Amino acid sequence: MDNSMFFGIATLGYIFAMIAYITYLVSKNRYVGLVATYLTIVSFAFHTIAFLMRWYEGYIMGLRSFWRPPVSNLYESLVFFVWCLMLGYIIIEFRYKNRAFGAFVTPIAAMILAFIEMTGLSKEIEPLVPALQSNWLLAHVTMSFISYAMFGLSFATALIYLIQKTEKKTEPAYIFWTFSVGLMIVILLAMAIDYLKFHVIATSTEAMKKYLFRATFKSNSQTIVALSWFSALSIIGFVWMFGNYLKRIINTFNLSEQMLDDITYRAIAIGFPIFTLGGLIFGAIWADQAWGVYWSWDPKETWSLITWFVYAFYLHARLMRGWRGKKVAVVAVVGFVVVLFTYLGVNLLLSGLHSYV
Amino acid sequence: MQKEQKSLIDRIWDLFASVKLAIVLFALIALSSIIGTIIEQNAPAEKNILVLKKIVGDEAAPTVYRILESLGFMDMYRSWWFVTFLVLFSVNLIICSLDRLPRILNLVKEPIRPLDTEKKNFPIKKEIKIKKSPEELKEPLLKAVKSIGFKAENSPLEQGGYQLYAQRGNWTRFGVYITHLSILIILIGAVIGIFFGFKGFMYLQEGEVSNVAYSRDNRPHQLNFSIRCDDFDVEFYGITEMPKDYRSWLTVIKDGKEVMRKVIEVNKPLKFEGYTFYQSSYGMVPNAHGIFIFRVTGQGGKTETVLKRFGETFTIPGTEIVGKIINFSPALTLDKEGRPYTYTEMMNNPAVYIEFTEKGERKYGGWILKRFPKTWHLPDGNIVEFIDYWGVQYTGLQVRKDPGVWLVYLGCIIMTVGLYIAFFMSHRKIWVFVKKDGKQSSITVLATANKNRGAFERKIESLISKIRSFG
Ligand code: HEM
């Protein structure tokens, strides 16, 4: 038995949990809710076991030292991100005694794990090249993902907040959230089409880079490109047209706006210092130890800095300028979009020194 | 109505003391930084023109490139306007902090005062009745308040009642200022590094000594000491081609004396007199002739280390068998037909072909591979270990001197502390009213915290349950 089987069980478990949470959201049946919670906890336990097994396997195979948890390539870091996210969610569910929120977090987890399966991301336990054998790097990666998970949670609550609070279709905040959600659907669909068309076995980010959007926006055929843009705009338009249905479902749940705003702020208030220390400071120390430059304005570093500024913007706007409600929620959503770009976009779309994660 | 006339200086001060400007600057710096990640910095012109062609089309690209270049976008983070943003940002930070400092100082220094009345709406308010007189409760209450970390003062109320009050963590209001100060310290460290530091590289062949490093634009930079590369080696994971470690054996020589020896690896640099030497690259020196190092053990058990050049011969100790080095490959492998060939010019799998003769008669010959101990054992039980082919590789060292780096690190530590204080600690105040209520005492606890109120509330609840146990 190896770790991937346990990961498989956890993935399936999260998908069932997602279905249960959504059913619960619609039906409000208490037992369905309990099932969702149990499914989540059991999946999380499998996830944890799988993570520990992978750690141990790398060690007994002699590829990694005992002190190297498996967080060093794209596959491992995504899995770890989901782990942090679910841990954060479970804590929130018990703290706030509210499950509605699970219907928004489990899809993120299920989507990421499905993304791993679909793109056939390499799951090999790889030995580490010399530059990566650093404790600073380890602390850097681990803490970055913990903060990303926090930002992910704040994203989910801020999005729900926006959905709840917007009334009119012409309102900027409504346009903003429907556009963001539409865009995400478009990107996920485009990636799914890439997969169906090319069956990419993306063993590396290189291969993913090569095939990204090749079946749609970057196709050789002009017709397909035009069609892709047309479909993309239609999807976004569709979400804009029918976004208020989603709002109606969510409204039946009576999530207090105060609570949503509170969780958004708290998640960022925890994520921001961790990101500063782990993401920026430890990253800089590692670069300094490995290359002799603590800051080189490479795209990944620069995007981390941009992320930092966006959240500094959030904190100052909320605390000092007294921005409340929709305005800061928009900033929180933008913040996580920037996080996603820092994490995936820089490697897929921009090139740089950090080619491994 | 008379409008207050402000002097220009006041208005500039107000501008820089505003958080609004800070927010604008956050946005400006973040947005302009994005451009610098799309346009590759300090790259050859053709590369960026190619990128621009994808964005603005073939025709416009060269013109757009020229415009962007004249605005400094090709080396954006050093352009006058980006540096201006950073300067404005720093000034904003300084003025903003100075502007608020007096108020914060007052807040911190201000002693806590008893409340006039039990206010109705208080952030945290708990009430409880205990079957004891206020006087009896005084000692235990003081102790209970102390157990959650407050040293309370006491002020009497009418009818034998009293009020206990205390505050804690007033200094944590400085947390934000510590954070802001740390940003300035880091920026100062970075500026010192830019003006007084050196960044460059040095390539040393095995055995070579040098006291000159080169900057990025290839200008020589004299060091007060010399560095010698004694050896260089790459270690691989098992039999794979995946490098596990690069190592250089370095010696520092100052005034003709060897003063330091160190094996450096990626992530483990050598530091000497303010300079740091990082393992950054390596390679083969073209047309170099090195020295083969073998450890030869005869059947009788006698061992000898031999150093030989290409074409030279050696004798296996205790025998009359003579080996002659007649071929070398830096990276040997077999093709489909089983014929050996060299797959790369790097020393990934060094192999040497040695032909053995005894009294002038050919005995056998074969490839001996450094990474494969099996090949060291000759058919007749003698052993030839291939230790190294020395003197043909060079090590690439990155050389850096940065007198500002300690300030950057100091700033990082201060920032960590500051953020911890700013986000996880708070200024907490507590008032406990104790009044006589017939035979009992009625106790009201009022409390505030400027942050993390929930955590403080739980603490107050634990205090209440402690007080309840008195009754
Ligand atoms: C990227 C750089 C900056 C970071 C990381 C940063 C960080 C922070 C943090 C963590 C807080 C505390 C928030 C809280 O109470 O939870 C804060 C508050 C504040 N910041 Fe900044 N800051 C930055 C730049 C600036 C700048 C340029 C200004 C200039 C106006 C500024 C002005 C303020 C003010 C006035 C406060 C409120 C202080 C108070 O409580 O009285 N910050 N900042």
Side-chain angles (χ1 to χ4, degrees), chain A residues 24 27-37 99:
Chain A
Y24 170 69
S27 72
K28 300 211 188 72
N29 182 317
R30 218 178 73 81
Y31 293 101
V32 177
L34 272 179
V35 168
T37 302
R99 309 203 156 84

Side-chain angles (χ1 to χ4, degrees), chain A residues 63 95 127-131 133-134 265 269-270 272-273 276-277 281 285-286 288-294 297 299 302-303 306 308-309 312-313 315-317 320-321 350, chain B residues 19-20 23 26-27 29-30 33-34 37-38 77 82 89 180 189-190 199 237 242-246 266-267 269 278 398 400 402 405 408-409 412 415-416 419 423-424 458:
Chain A
L63 296 177
R95 271 289 299 274
L128 297 175
V129 299
Q133 299 162 19
S134 152
Y265 170 69
I270 295 172
F272 186 77
T276 310
L277 181 65
I281 297 182
I285 296 176
W286 168 62
D288 191 37
Q289 303 272 311
W291 324 108
V293 271
Y294 53 82
W297 292 106
T302 309
W303 275 94
I306 294 168
W308 196 58
F309 272 104
F313 185 112
L315 292 169
H316 286 83
M320 299 304 117
R321 301 291 308 161
L350 306 168
Chain B
V19 182
K20 208 182 217 161
I23 288 183
F26 286 151
I29 294 174
S33 296
I34 294 176
T37 65
I38 296 169
Y77 303 108
F82 195 76
F89 176 80
H180 291 160
K199 251 186 226 143
Y237 281 102
M242 181 96 170
K244 186 175 181 183
D245 229 331
Y246 319 126
V266 181
N267 286 317
Y278 300 84
Q398 173 137 348
R400 190 198 63 180
D402 188 343
V405 76
V408 173
Y409 277 81
C412 288
M415 182 182 286
T416 308
L419 284 174
F423 283 103
F424 300 116
R458 281 193 291 282

Side-chain angles (χ1 to χ4, degrees), chain A residues 308 316 319-320, chain B residues 89 92-93 96 100 176-177 180 183 423:
Chain A
W308 196 58
H316 286 83
L319 288 159
M320 299 304 117
Chain B
F89 176 80
N92 189 193
L93 202 51
C96 186
R100 274 154 225 257
V176 170
Y177 294 85
H180 291 160
I183 296 172
F423 283 103

